[in-house]
Amino acid sequence: MNKIFKVGLIGCGHISETYFRGHDYFNNFQIIKCADINQENANKCANTYDIQACSVEELLKDDEVEIILNLTIPRAHYEVAKKSLEHGKHVYSEKPMAVNFIEGEELLKLSKSKGLYIGNAPDTFLGGGIQKSIELINQNKIGNVRLGSAIFAYPGVQSYHPNPEPWFANNEGGPVMDMGPYYLTALVNLLGPAKSVHGISTKVFEKRVIGIGPKKDQEFNVECPTSYLVNLEFLNKTFIQITLSFDVVAHQRNHIELYGDKGSMIVPDPNMFGGSVFTCVDDYGTWEEHKTDESPLGKINITSQSERANESATNANYRGVGLSEMAYCIENGLKHRCSGELSLHILDIIKSTMKAADTQTPQEIKTTCTKANFFTLEEIQKILK
Ligand SMILES: NC(=O)c1ccc[n+]([C@@H]2O[C@H](COP(=O)([O-])OP(=O)(O)OC[C@H]3O[C@@H](n4cnc5c(N)ncnc54)[C@H](O)[C@@H]3O)[C@@H](O)[C@H]2O)c1
C-alpha cells in the first residue's frame, strides 16, 4: 500500500475539478485543504469537495500538508511555488512552470537546495496516446525520426471564457505559452531535448470581443502575437515544423506527424491522454491503427461535450497522474517524470521561440533534460486505485 500524501491546493479555479476527479483514479494523494487569493473561490471549492478552506499563508504553514498543488494562473506559478518550497513543501504546479526563464531556473535551484520535489503539468504525455507513440518509436517501427510537423490552431478563448484578457497579454499570453507546453513536452518525450529554434509570429486581430459572462460584447486589446510558425531542431537532428495559433477558425491537419526513415506516424492529441496512433510503413499509404482505449490511461472517461472548440466530445483525461507519480517517487526516492528539469527545458523552448520570432534571430536552447523512461503498465498499476 502506498502512503497517501496530504495535498494543499492553492488556486481554486476551473481546472481544480479535474484534479479532484483524480481522487477516483489514483491511490496516493488526497487534497485536504484549499486556499485562493479570492476567498469566495476557496470557500466554494471547500464546500463542493467537503474539505477545509483557509488563507494561503495558513495553508503554507500547515504541518499536515506535504505537497502544494499550485493551480493558480501562469503569472502566479513562480511566487506560489517559491513560497511552497520555502515553507518546506514539495510542489506540483500547472503549466507553464513560470512565465520568465530566470524564475524557473531559480525554482529548480531552490528545490534542489532544499531537497524537495518540484513537478509540473502537463502530464498528458504519460497518457496512453503519447506512451504508445514512444513505445512504437522505441521498437523502431518507423525507423529514425528526422522530420515532422505539429499544429495547434483555433480561434482563441474569448468566445467561451468570461475573462480572456490574460491569453492575449504581453509576456504571459499567446499560443506558445498556453498550448506550447503540451506539444513541446510530448515532442521532447518522443525525440529528446531540443537544440535550437527559429520562427516568425503575427497578430491577426488587434482587438477581440468577449463572448460570454458579465463583460459580454466588451472589446479588449490584443497585446501579444497570436500566431507562430516555428522550426524546432532537436539534438538528435530531427526538424519539426510547428504552427501555434489563436487565429484559425478550423483546420483538418493532424496534431503531430513524425516522419522516420522507415515510415510515418500520426501521434494523437497531446492535450489529451488517449487516442489511436497510426503508422504507415509502405509506399501505398496503408495506415495501421494502434488503439489505446484499453490502456489504463487511455480509456475514455469523459463523455460530455466540452465547451472548448479544440477538444473532442469524448476523450481520456487523467490529469493528476503527474502529481500521483511524483508522490510515488517521493515515497520511494525515485526521479519523477514531470520533473523540474523537463519543465525548465520546456520553458526555455517557449521563451526562446518567442524571442526568435520577436528578434528574427534563431535561438540556441540553453538547457537540456533526460528523456523519461517509458511508463510501464506495472508502474501505472502501482498508483491506480
Ligand atoms: N482551464 C483549463 O482548461 C486548463 C487546462 C489545463 C491547464 N490549465 C492551467 O491551470 C492553471 C489554472 O487555470 P484555470 O483555468 O483553473 O484558471 P482560473 O482563473 O479559473 O483559476 C485560477 C485561480 O487561482 C487564483 N489565484 C490567482 N493568483 C493567485 C495567487 N497568487 N495566490 C492564490 N490564488 C491565486 C484565482 O483567484 C483563481 O481562483 C493555469 O496555469 C492554466 O494554464 C487550465
Side-chain angles (χ1 to χ4, degrees), residues 10-16 35-38 41 56 71-74 76-77 79-80 94-96 161 167 178 182 308 311 319:
I10 301 182
C12 309
H14 288 99
I15 197 68
S16 57
D36 197 294
I37 39 165
N38 180 335
N41 287 2
V56 172
L71 305 184
T72 60
I73 53 174
H77 289 172
E79 177 202 322
V80 170
E94 252 300 335
K95 52 84 188 166
H161 200 293
W167 275 266
D178 183 40
Y182 297 109
R308 293 185 66 139
E311 286 176 5
R319 281 178 166 80

Side-chain angles (χ1 to χ4, degrees), residues 107-367:
L107 289 176
L108 185 57
K109 227 183 254 173
L110 184 61
S111 75
K112 280 186 179 156
S113 74
K114 296 249 179 205
L116 293 165
Y117 281 65
I118 184 166
N120 270 94
D123 53 5
T124 39
F125 74 93
L126 299 178
I130 304 297
Q131 289 297 317
K132 174 55 80 181
S133 310
I134 291 172
E135 187 181 25
L136 290 164
I137 286 176
N138 290 349
Q139 289 166 355
N140 205 31
K141 180 82 181 169
I142 60 166
N144 282 325
V145 179
R146 296 299 304 271
L147 296 165
S149 68
I151 181 166
F152 174 82
Y154 84 138
V157 298
Q158 68 285 338
S159 64
Y160 63 85
H161 200 293
N163 299 301
E165 296 91 338
W167 275 266
F168 302 95
N170 253 328
N171 199 37
E172 66 185 287
V176 185
M177 196 64 109
D178 183 40
M179 294 305 289
Y182 297 109
Y183 285 76
L184 299 171
T185 306
L187 287 168
V188 166
N189 276 281
L190 287 158
L191 304 168
K195 180 175 178 279
S196 67
V197 65
H198 193 21
I200 52 170
S201 65
T202 184
K203 187 203 290 180
V204 173
F205 303 99
E206 289 297 329
K207 289 180 186 297
R208 301 227 173 191
V209 178
I210 301 176
I212 59 161
K215 294 187 283 181
K216 186 170 164 28
D217 298 331
Q218 273 182 31
E219 218 176 45
F220 64 96
N221 287 330
V222 177
E223 293 174 359
C224 60
T226 43
S227 291
Y228 284 79
L229 305 175
V230 177
N231 290 323
L232 184 61
E233 183 186 0
F234 288 78
L235 275 177
N236 75 355
K237 295 194 171 75
T238 307
F239 288 91
I240 305 285
Q241 201 168 46
I242 308 175
T243 303
L244 293 161
S245 176
F246 290 166
D247 296 310
V248 173
V249 173
H251 70 85
Q252 288 202 6
R253 287 169 56 190
N254 291 306
H255 298 280
I256 299 176
E257 294 195 0
L258 298 178
Y259 313 123
D261 50 23
K262 274 173 59 181
S264 297
M265 174 185 288
I266 299 171
V267 177
D269 186 354
N271 185 24
M272 288 297 149
F273 282 73
S276 292
V277 185
F278 292 86
T279 54
C280 175
V281 292
D282 65 25
D283 294 345
Y284 312 104
T286 319
W287 289 93
E288 183 184 352
E289 182 175 6
H290 309 267
K291 290 188 172 200
T292 68
D293 55 358
E294 297 291 329
S295 73
L297 300 178
K299 248 185 260 168
I300 287 172
N301 60 343
I302 308 287
T303 50
S304 54
Q305 176 67 56
S306 160
E307 284 170 30
R308 293 185 66 139
N310 60 318
E311 286 176 5
S312 65
T314 59
N315 57 52
N317 191 346
Y318 296 92
R319 281 178 166 80
V321 61
L323 170 64
S324 173
E325 197 258 359
M326 184 176 95
Y328 183 84
C329 290
I330 296 172
E331 191 188 354
N332 295 286
L334 303 170
K335 189 171 162 22
H336 58 306
R337 287 178 167 85
C338 294
S339 70
E341 284 85 3
L342 172 62
S343 34
L344 186 65
H345 185 58
I346 301 303
L347 182 59
D348 190 4
I349 305 173
I350 290 171
K351 298 304 288 191
S352 301
T353 300
M354 290 163 76
K355 188 170 177 194
D358 195 31
T359 60
Q360 275 304 290
T361 314
Q363 300 292 313
E364 292 298 313
I365 309 296
K366 303 177 283 290
T367 57

